[in-house]
Amino acid sequence: MTLVAGLRAAAYGVPFQPVAGVHGSDLAALNGWKTLRDPYGSGQDVYVIPAIRPDVAVIHAGEVDEHGNARVLGSPFWDHPLTRAAKRVLVTAERLVSSEKLSAQPELTLVPGFMVEAVAIVARGAWPGSMHPDYEVDYAAVERYMQDAPGVLEAHLAAAPEAANA
């Protein structure tokens, strides 16, 4: 939640975002986060996370049209604030669809095309992660990648979907 709070602060154009759940953790001291007294009189101190403004956001979407309008049909938890906080947005997507398809349900468009600088169609581009509803996490691939052994990275890259098209 602290990362999302920092992204939201940048997206909202404010210098910080309050967040709960940090009290009792070493995260605040490690990151130098500050507290503010509740201005509404509860007497509680609230941690505030500084704005995080990435230079570039790269997200993977399920669908994108020729204007860069992008849909993420799974959870947009990170993608929404990230694309609003970043100075530039790049989108990779499972597939290119018509603008007519997206305009039939505009409320499903997560990132409007005017915010997108470039698009690339990369089928299975979230692998070994998931892209709802197209595919689930490939847990076997993740487990193989997590092994501490020579050649693991090379084997992982050779098994990636784009390796078959190389």
Side-chain angles (χ1 to χ4, degrees), residues 12-85:
Y12 298 158
V14 296
F16 58 83
Q17 175 81 35
V19 67
V22 178
H23 291 284
S25 167
D26 290 337
L27 286 174
L30 290 169
N31 289 290
W33 295 332
K34 310 279 189 237
T35 59
L36 293 178
R37 179 76 47 171
D38 175 3
Y40 295 102
S42 74
Q44 293 181 329
D45 286 337
V46 178
Y47 278 100
V48 291
I49 309 303
I52 300 170
R53 184 143 176 88
D55 289 330
V56 179
V58 180
I59 68 159
H60 188 69
E63 301 173 336
V64 67
D65 72 6
E66 59 270 19
H67 303 292
N69 297 300
R71 279 189 182 169
V72 175
L73 299 174
S75 172
F77 183 73
W78 300 98
D79 296 337
H80 188 272
L82 177 63
T83 57
R84 276 32 178 205

Side-chain angles (χ1 to χ4, degrees), residues 77-140:
F77 183 73
W78 300 98
D79 296 337
H80 188 272
L82 177 63
T83 57
R84 276 32 178 205
K87 296 173 187 168
R88 301 166 66 192
V89 178
L90 309 177
V91 174
T92 62
E94 291 293 320
R95 65 194 147 275
L96 181 67
V97 297
S98 70
S99 294
E100 290 76 26
K101 179 178 181 183
L102 295 190
S103 64
Q105 290 181 290
E107 70 278 8
L108 296 179
T109 299
L110 180 72
V111 185
F114 72 85
M115 295 176 65
V116 177
E117 188 165 323
V119 172
I121 304 304
V122 183
R124 296 196 58 81
W127 181 89
S130 65
M131 177 50 57
H132 177 78
D134 298 318
Y135 49 92
E136 298 297 323
V137 174
D138 184 343
Y139 289 105

